């Protein structure tokens, strides 16, 4: 065999083996990692949506709580007014000037 033919054969074999190694590396390592990264990204997106939903619900609860606290304060003020009005009647005063 001529030297050029042997070199050509060796280069072809090395290229073929190299191609097989690269393909095996892609299949064995890169593809599973890519799939895991994709799943982790999706899980992260779902978690972020869940956090946003919970945050929105918490905001609604706080707003409702604030409204309820204002209603309670209004009712307490009204009760105090009625008590004072009742006390004024019992004392015979009008509470005015």
């Amino acid at each position: 065999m001529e030297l050029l033919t042997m070199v050509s054969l060796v280069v072809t074999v090395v290229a073929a083996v190299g191609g097989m190694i690269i393909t095996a590396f892609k299949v064995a390592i890169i593809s599973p990692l890519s799939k895991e990264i994709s799943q982790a990204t999706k899980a992260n997106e779902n978690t972020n949506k869940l956090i946003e939903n919970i945050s929105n619900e918490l905001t609604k609860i706080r707003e409702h709580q604030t409204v309820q606290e204002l209603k309670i304060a209004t009712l307490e003020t009204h009760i105090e007014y009625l008590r004072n009005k009742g006390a004024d009647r019992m004392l015979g005063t009008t509470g005015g000037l």
Side-chain angles (χ1 to χ4, degrees), residues 1 5 7 12 24-25 30-31 33 35 37 49 58 74 82-83 87 95:
M1 232 185 210
T5 306
V7 170
T12 304
F25 180 76
I30 294 176
S31 292
L33 284 178
K35 186 176 181 180
I37 289 170
K49 286 178 186 175
L58 187 56
T74 301
L82 292 173
R83 283 186 180 145

Side-chain angles (χ1 to χ4, degrees), residues 22-94:
I22 290 171
T23 301
F25 180 76
K26 283 181 181 178
V27 170
I29 295 174
I30 294 176
S31 292
L33 284 178
S34 178
K35 186 176 181 180
E36 285 185 39
I37 289 170
S38 177
Q39 289 173 342
T41 301
K42 183 68 174 170
N44 189 40
E45 290 171 358
N46 290 340
T47 300
N48 288 340
K49 286 178 186 175
L50 185 59
I51 289 170
E52 183 180 346
N53 289 342
I54 291 170
S55 180
N56 289 340
E57 287 301 315
L58 187 56
T59 299
K60 289 178 189 176
I61 290 168
R62 285 185 177 140
E63 289 170 355
H64 181 72
Q65 180 182 1
T66 301
V67 168
Q68 296 305 316
E69 288 171 353
L70 288 171
K71 286 179 181 179
I72 290 168
T74 301
L75 290 172
E76 287 173 340
T77 302
H78 192 64
I79 289 168
E80 190 63 29
Y81 168 78
L82 292 173
R83 283 186 180 145
N84 290 338
K85 188 175 177 182
D88 287 346
R89 271 198 224 127
M90 291 179 72
L91 295 173
T93 61
T94 60

